Amino acid sequence: MVKKILIRLLRVATLLIGLSILTFSLIHISPMYPINTYVGGDSSTSPEQIEKLREYWGLNKSPVEQYFSWAGALLQGNFGVSKLYRTPVMDIIKSRAMMSFALMGTAWILSGFFGYLLGALSALHRGKTLDKIIKWYSFTLVSTPIFWLGLILLIVFSVQLQWFPVGLAAPAGVLDSEVQFSDRLHHFVLPALTLSILGVASIALHTREKMIDILNSEYVIFAKARGENKWQIFKNHGFRNSILPAISLQFAYFGELFGGSVLAEQVFSYPGLGSTLTTAGLKGDLPLLMGIILVSSLFVFTGNFIADILNTVVDPRIKGEV
Amino acid sequence: MRAGQKKPLLQVDIHEGEIVAVVGASGSGKSLLAHAVLGILPGNAICEGRIIYRGEELTEERKLRLRGREISFIPQSVNYLDPLLRVGKQVQIGLEKSTAQLKQRELFRQYDLQERDGQLFPYELSGGMLRRVLFATSVREGVRLVIADEPTPGIHPQALAEILKQLKTFAEEGARVMLITHDIMSALEIAHRVAVIKDGCTVEIAEASAFEGRGEGLKTEYTQRLWSALPQNDFDGEFIEKGAVGHGFSGK
């Protein structure tokens, strides 16, 4: 068990190193030049100033030297300063991560609960009307791009019904200290809903598959032969055998969740990690981009890691082997 | 109890207090017969014919009512146990809630299982122990029909004797017992009659006493050959006669 955890941690360290090298190289071969994106349309900058800036940022050094100076600073806990916001990267990530985690957390819990519920119901009523409805809903939504769903929700609930604001995390033009919780909630509903609705569909389909396998298994046939009714079969065998894969799937779902939140945040101009990542990428803000990529890959890794550990701790069969 | 079809003809009847052994090659339809009686065939199975139970047609609704109460089933494989449910709990399913635990411990003692074995998961028990657990699930008050689908392989002699004894007790208490098996010798110890099945048809239903000597009392050749194919009945006799040793003996 301890050995397994150590191997996992070693693996994530190499993953992060590889990932940072990859990101660094990609940014380097991209046509964006940091100084141009930084100076932007300001043509009053003199060549001397630009030269000074180059030197100050270390752009006159080789890419390898640049990478190592960045990595060296990182090892001391310094993520650098965002070129775009001119604040330390860590501060930006901290404030944005809270927004994103609230969004993803809500979607995670809602989609996990309702996804499992719908999937199980569907499997237990296989072939009946309820199953057909749930399957139709899931297949339709699973093949729906998240930004498109976000736009549809915006059109219906914000533009036409005007129930919810069009975007942002708080009303525009209001001081942060004066924003009420209800305002935040009001802005939070649509992005969270977008993210949850899609999650529900894929989890429902997975749960349905798993549950159908279980219902066709020999131990459920035996349960039937012993006179257990549908509810008893679910309670005694179905739930027990499906909840573990469902939970580990739910944690492994972190990656997809983050990917979805990048798009959802973009559509709703919601200031979370995802939309900041997009901005950083488009504007060539390397320190910020690297910071977010590292933090988000750690996040995804954590999900998979928890899934693994949970399985080991809870499933008696796996526990027996360790 | 009677299961019958027009053609191919499969007909077996079991009287009150009687043990009928059902024997036949693999794939001859023994287990299917059991599953049909219980109503646990897969959803796409087509089941024709009539099953009469205690004078009345055994309809799906009636099966639903009787399964696990009047009709007890001992399945063929230990995979029929839930891998994630402690075996003690599995035996308790279907027992009267208040006395379930007590009754389960009693059954465990009876089948030579330790009390702490009840706390284990199926993967922690040996094949023979799991067989006994499966058997323990079938022992219920008020059982009128027991269908045992090969309950004996992999069991040590004492436990085998215990199981055969229990099947006999079922019959003595007035239940009908269908014992599906490959082990003709054990079956003959307790069975009153033996139904021989081949390709989904009954070849013959013989009195257990007819399985004796060289099988002169058996009506069909197939049954006679089945009988003489047993190791203790010089099973190579027929090959020596026909001069075809090593030719193989299919379907035995």
Side-chain angles (χ1 to χ4, degrees):
Chain A
M1 182 79 175
V2 176
K3 194 178 152 206
K4 196 174 165 187
I5 293 176
L6 282 177
I7 289 175
R8 278 306 189 118
L9 291 178
L10 194 70
R11 208 183 283 170
V12 74
T14 52
L15 174 79
L16 290 180
I17 292 170
L19 204 63
S20 63
I21 293 176
L22 184 71
T23 318
F24 202 84
S25 322
L26 281 178
I27 287 285
H28 238 276
I29 56 176
S30 85
M32 265 181 314
Y33 193 62
I35 298 206
N36 289 354
T37 48
Y38 180 66
V39 174
D42 190 358
S43 52
S44 64
T45 327
S46 67
E48 289 80 39
Q49 281 175 306
I50 288 180
E51 193 49 44
K52 266 193 178 157
L53 209 53
R54 263 172 65 89
E55 209 166 302
Y56 177 63
W57 281 3
L59 284 169
N60 47 359
K61 291 185 200 151
S62 77
V64 179
E65 278 177 297
Q66 286 179 35
Y67 177 77
F68 277 111
S69 77
W70 172 81
L74 186 72
L75 285 181
Q76 290 161 16
N78 181 5
F79 275 78
V81 176
S82 160
K83 300 285 169 279
L84 211 58
Y85 299 94
R86 317 216 178 138
T87 35
V89 167
M90 219 44 224
D91 293 353
I92 301 176
I93 291 181
K94 269 182 198 152
S95 68
R96 300 297 159 92
M98 281 321 293
M99 306 292 280
S100 276
F101 287 161
L103 191 65
M104 289 190 278
T106 310
W108 190 71
I109 290 168
L110 284 180
S111 58
F113 179 75
F114 286 105
Y116 183 83
L117 194 71
L118 289 183
L121 274 176
S122 187
L124 287 170
H125 293 87
R126 192 180 177 192
K128 310 248 174 71
T129 317
L130 183 66
D131 178 34
K132 281 180 188 150
I133 294 171
I134 293 173
K135 245 167 53 184
W136 175 84
Y137 164 86
S138 304
F139 279 129
T140 310
L141 282 174
V142 135
S143 35
T144 304
I146 192 163
F147 59 90
W148 185 80
L149 181 73
L151 288 174
I152 295 290
L153 290 183
L154 267 182
I155 291 170
V156 174
F157 292 106
S158 299
V159 180
Q160 289 181 353
L161 295 172
Q162 306 208 328
W163 288 357
F164 296 105
V166 180
L168 303 177
V174 179
L175 280 178
D176 194 43
S177 52
E178 286 168 16
V179 176
Q180 303 289 318
F181 179 72
S182 60
D183 287 333
R184 292 191 195 279
L185 200 66
H186 200 209
H187 283 78
F188 180 76
V189 171
L190 277 190
L193 200 63
T194 310
L195 212 50
S196 312
I197 287 178
L198 288 191
V200 165
S202 65
I203 291 164
L205 284 176
H206 273 118
T207 309
R208 181 177 179 275
E209 274 315 296
K210 182 68 198 167
M211 193 62 91
I212 284 177
D213 279 353
I214 291 171
L215 293 180
N216 284 333
S217 71
E218 289 177 322
Y219 54 86
V220 167
I221 291 178
F222 185 43
K224 258 186 226 163
R226 298 182 65 193
E228 290 179 51
N229 61 30
K230 259 193 175 161
W231 166 244
Q232 285 170 314
I233 287 176
F234 175 75
K235 189 182 63 150
N236 289 338
H237 314 288
F239 181 75
R240 192 179 291 273
N241 281 278
S242 66
I243 194 68
L244 273 177
I247 288 177
S248 58
L249 192 74
Q250 189 65 4
F251 278 100
Y253 175 65
F254 272 22
E256 223 175 300
L257 195 64
F258 188 81
S261 89
V262 171
L263 293 169
E265 287 174 13
Q266 200 60 32
V267 170
F268 292 96
S269 324
Y270 190 83
L273 270 188
S275 58
T276 312
L277 178 75
T278 322
T279 317
L282 290 176
K283 297 272 169 70
D285 189 345
L286 190 56
L288 185 57
L289 187 65
M290 295 286 263
I292 296 179
I293 285 178
L294 291 186
V295 167
S296 54
S297 45
L298 255 180
F299 170 71
V300 174
F301 164 79
T302 311
N304 289 326
F305 188 62
I306 294 176
D308 249 29
I309 298 298
L310 261 187
N311 259 343
T312 322
V313 172
V314 185
D315 192 324
R317 284 166 301 184
I318 301 178
K319 191 159 48 177
E321 283 161 20
V322 170
Chain B
M1 206 258 342
R2 185 178 285 126
Q5 275 171 294
K6 275 191 193 120
K7 61 159 185 178
L9 201 77
L10 174 66
Q11 185 162 356
V12 179
D13 59 323
I14 306 173
H15 304 293
E16 222 166 284
E18 188 186 35
I19 300 174
V20 172
V22 176
V23 300
S26 300
S28 58
K30 304 187 298 285
S31 291
L32 278 181
L33 171 67
H35 287 214
V37 174
L38 287 154
I40 52 170
L41 289 170
N44 55 357
I46 299 165
C47 187
E48 278 174 8
R50 291 201 304 156
I51 301 167
I52 313 277
Y53 172 72
R54 300 183 82 191
E56 263 178 76
E57 175 127 18
L58 190 56
T59 56
E60 290 302 316
E61 300 86 69
R62 209 159 155 236
K63 286 177 193 169
L64 223 63
R65 252 200 342 268
L66 298 176
R67 282 193 305 229
R69 292 167 191 90
E70 276 190 34
I71 303 180
S72 227
F73 176 51
I74 302 147
Q76 190 175 24
S77 139
V78 295
N79 293 339
Y80 283 80
L81 289 170
D82 187 330
L84 293 183
L85 193 56
R86 296 179 197 281
V87 290
K89 282 262 181 297
Q90 308 209 39
V91 173
Q92 285 169 27
I93 291 175
L95 288 169
E96 191 61 46
K97 271 237 166 70
S98 51
T99 56
Q101 204 167 5
L102 228 73
K103 179 83 186 148
Q104 173 248 318
R105 287 193 184 146
E106 195 182 304
L107 285 168
F108 266 41
R109 264 197 303 282
Q110 191 180 344
Y111 292 105
D112 195 20
L113 293 160
Q114 305 294 317
E115 190 174 317
R116 58 186 170 81
D117 291 344
Q119 290 301 309
L120 299 177
F121 290 96
Y123 79 95
E124 294 172 299
L125 293 167
S126 76
M129 289 161 101
L130 290 175
R131 288 273 170 200
R132 283 176 269 155
V133 171
L134 274 179
F135 200 86
T137 63
S138 73
V139 182
R140 297 286 180 269
E141 304 241 328
V143 168
R144 316 292 310 156
L145 168 65
V146 179
I147 299 176
D149 192 355
E150 300 196 28
T152 52
I155 288 191
H156 63 79
Q158 284 124 293
L160 176 68
E162 181 62 36
I163 283 182
L164 294 178
K165 198 178 106 199
Q166 180 61 50
L167 286 174
K168 213 168 170 177
T169 315
F170 278 134
E172 276 160 8
E173 285 166 3
R176 303 140 183 82
V177 179
M178 180 193 274
L179 172 61
I180 296 170
T181 186
H182 275 118
D183 184 0
I184 300 182
M185 290 320 289
S186 312
L188 285 174
E189 280 179 33
I190 55 165
H192 301 101
R193 287 185 299 152
V194 178
V196 182
I197 307 238
K198 185 194 175 207
D199 300 333
C201 306
T202 9
V203 175
E204 85 169 272
I205 302 182
E207 293 295 325
S209 55
F211 286 86
E212 218 181 43
R214 303 207 58 174
E216 292 87 353
L218 298 167
K219 286 185 219 99
T220 58
E221 198 208 340
Y222 183 79
T223 316
Q224 280 170 0
R225 281 170 55 198
L226 193 69
W227 174 238
S228 62
L230 290 174
Q232 55 272 52
N233 298 341
D234 53 48
F235 72 108
D236 53 352
E238 67 175 293
F239 297 105
I240 291 166
E241 273 166 37
K242 290 174 187 167
V245 177
H247 190 63
F249 36 96
S250 60
K252 306 292 164 69

